[in-house]
Amino acid sequence: MIHKHAFEALDRTLNDVMHGDSGNSSEAVFGGKVVVFGGDFRQILPVVTNGTRSKCVNDCINSSYILSKCKVLKLTKNMRLTVGCRSSDVENIIEFADWLLDIGQGNVGGPNDGQPVIDIPDDLLILNSVDPMGDLITFVYPNILDRFNELTYFKDRALLAPVNEVVQEINERMLAIFLGEEVEYPSSDSLAECEDVSEDFDPHLYSHDLLNGLKMSEMPNHRLVLKVGVPIMLLRNINHKKGLCNGTRLQVVSLGRRVIDAKVVSGTNIGYRTLISRVTLTPTDKKLPFRLKRRQFPISVCFVMTINKSQGQSLSRVGLYLKDPVFSHGQLYVALSRVKSRDGIKLVILDKESKLANKTTNVVYKEIFGNVE
């Protein structure tokens, strides 16, 4: 699900390496080397900033010349659901797996502004609740104040939401539940020197308050508030060998003035402790009229994560909070298919009047499946 230009660049590079300056060319892609692609076009497509539907589809590998020279092999069994299941549950598991595939391909639900609106089964919903968000938190994180020190408690649990604003709202509520003193870490923001800035650019127009107020998905916020015991997520690669990569989840052990002591709670290095220090980060957002430098810990609180960030993870308990419907191809499918069993997921769906509902929008670009079926 990477942008097709990355694969095409690799193709040209391998051809150059294999043939050098001989001038010989090969009709085989990747210099004649065997390359295996793995992915699911029902999932979220390459992220294109402000991209239209056609742009998102056109940037996928199945819009590249490479796919015409590939042999498509199909996987037919949902291993996440079936591995380790009891024989008595096989029928229900197959039914749930088929329902997920239908959601991923847009085969269920009626049309609404070009996208299907689907009915969610009642057993997957939290309905008739005074505090639906609270009930969803309790489902995903039962007895959290008594069990948060268990090494694997946060490993297979997560709340999901489509947008960062809702993620931050729930994280703040969860942070307030935890006992202990809050420690606040403000960032140091400044403007970076940039050669391509116009002569009319005046850095004095951008105050520190304005820079501090900027929030971007790839950057930690100016104000980072933590407590001992809360889960956090890395936003940058730190140490590949130790599994400290973008998306790795950890748990705060202690909070110092200049470093944060945390232990890994996801991946293959569970229990490994590391010290995280501040780093200088620069966003890649080209819409800004300047280059921002933010010195901050490359982490965020992670009781909740966006659906995009959860892609690729297998979880036992998932709570999906849809204050607003999903907005991109495959998001609903990705969120629902993170779990290992039907009993492991609950949804809270709010309508335009903020009332509990049992229907939600499922965004599917069916043209993406055209040449891989």
Side-chain angles (χ1 to χ4, degrees), residues 51 77 94 121 140 176 178 210 236 289 295 347 353:
K77 189 175 182 180
I94 292 175
V140 178
F178 263 66
L210 186 147
R236 283 293 184 275
R295 186 165 181 79
L347 290 82
E353 299 176 352

Side-chain angles (χ1 to χ4, degrees), residues 27 48 81 179 195 218 294 321:
E27 293 183 0
V48 181
L81 291 175
L179 304 176
E195 296 178 357
E218 58 185 327
R294 174 166 289 174
Y321 188 72

Side-chain angles (χ1 to χ4, degrees), residues 53-340:
R53 174 171 178 164
S54 59
K55 177 64 174 172
C56 292
V57 172
N58 188 59
D59 286 346
C60 290
I61 188 176
N62 59 353
S63 298
S64 172
Y65 65 87
I66 292 175
L67 194 70
S68 63
K69 300 183 180 182
C70 293
K71 181 179 180 180
V72 179
L73 304 174
K74 298 181 180 179
L75 304 178
T76 58
K77 189 175 182 180
N78 190 321
M79 300 301 292
R80 182 182 280 114
L81 291 175
T82 54
V83 170
C85 70
R86 295 175 296 183
S87 56
S88 58
D89 297 332
V90 170
E91 186 175 343
N92 290 333
I93 288 172
I94 292 175
E95 181 182 349
F96 183 55
D98 290 341
W99 181 67
L100 290 176
L101 290 178
D102 286 337
I103 288 176
Q105 294 175 304
N107 294 334
V108 293
N112 179 45
D113 295 332
Q115 299 297 343
V117 173
I118 65 171
D119 293 311
I120 304 296
D122 287 349
D123 64 311
L124 301 181
L125 294 167
I126 291 179
L127 298 168
N128 303 318
S129 173
V130 177
D131 182 15
M133 184 190 293
D135 291 342
L136 194 65
I137 291 172
T138 303
F139 170 77
V140 178
Y141 297 113
N143 304 317
I144 187 170
L145 295 181
D146 298 325
R147 299 179 57 192
F148 72 90
N149 278 324
E150 296 177 12
L151 185 59
T152 59
Y153 182 74
F154 291 108
K155 176 186 175 184
D156 295 327
R157 307 170 187 271
L159 288 158
L160 304 180
V163 295
N164 280 302
E165 288 78 7
V166 177
V167 167
Q168 186 167 344
E169 176 187 343
I170 304 177
N171 275 331
E172 289 175 354
R173 173 168 175 167
M174 292 293 296
L175 194 65
I177 294 174
F178 263 66
L179 304 176
E181 183 181 356
E182 288 186 352
V183 179
E184 180 177 336
Y185 296 98
S187 69
S188 173
D189 297 340
S190 60
L191 296 178
E193 294 183 5
C194 187
E195 296 178 357
D196 56 357
V197 173
S198 66
E199 296 179 357
D200 297 332
F201 179 78
D202 184 0
H204 298 97
L205 294 176
Y206 304 99
S207 65
H208 284 289
D209 289 340
L210 186 147
L211 299 180
N212 294 343
L214 293 175
K215 295 181 179 180
M216 288 152 282
S217 58
E218 58 185 327
M219 299 272 286
N221 290 339
H222 161 68
R223 181 175 177 267
L224 179 64
V225 180
L226 299 172
K227 290 182 179 179
V228 172
V230 305
I232 56 177
M233 176 181 286
L234 283 178
L235 302 178
R236 283 293 184 275
N237 296 333
I238 295 178
N239 189 330
H240 281 280
K241 291 183 179 180
K242 298 298 183 180
L244 301 176
C245 306
N246 186 2
T248 299
R249 288 187 289 161
L250 306 96
Q251 186 177 12
V252 174
V253 177
S254 64
L255 298 167
R257 291 183 60 188
R258 294 180 174 83
V259 294
I260 294 172
D261 184 5
K263 60 183 177 182
V264 177
V265 296
S266 68
T268 57
N269 293 304
I270 295 177
Y272 175 77
R273 286 179 64 170
T274 185
L275 296 177
I276 303 172
S277 59
R278 288 183 174 89
V279 295
T280 301
L281 305 165
T282 302
T284 58
D285 191 346
K286 296 181 179 179
K287 293 187 295 182
L288 296 175
F290 50 80
R291 285 188 62 196
L292 172 69
K293 284 200 309 184
R294 174 166 289 174
R295 186 165 181 79
Q296 179 61 289
F297 293 98
I299 58 175
S300 63
V301 179
C302 136
F303 293 102
V304 198
M305 67 179 83
T306 60
I307 295 172
N308 289 38
K309 205 73 174 180
S310 73
Q311 188 163 268
Q313 300 193 37
S314 294
L315 305 167
S316 60
R317 284 286 182 98
V318 170
L320 178 57
Y321 188 72
L322 294 177
K323 183 177 182 180
D324 299 300
V326 296
F327 58 88
S328 178
H329 168 88
Q331 281 187 322
L332 185 62
Y333 170 76
V334 166
L336 295 174
S337 60
R338 293 309 91 206
V339 292
K340 301 174 183 177

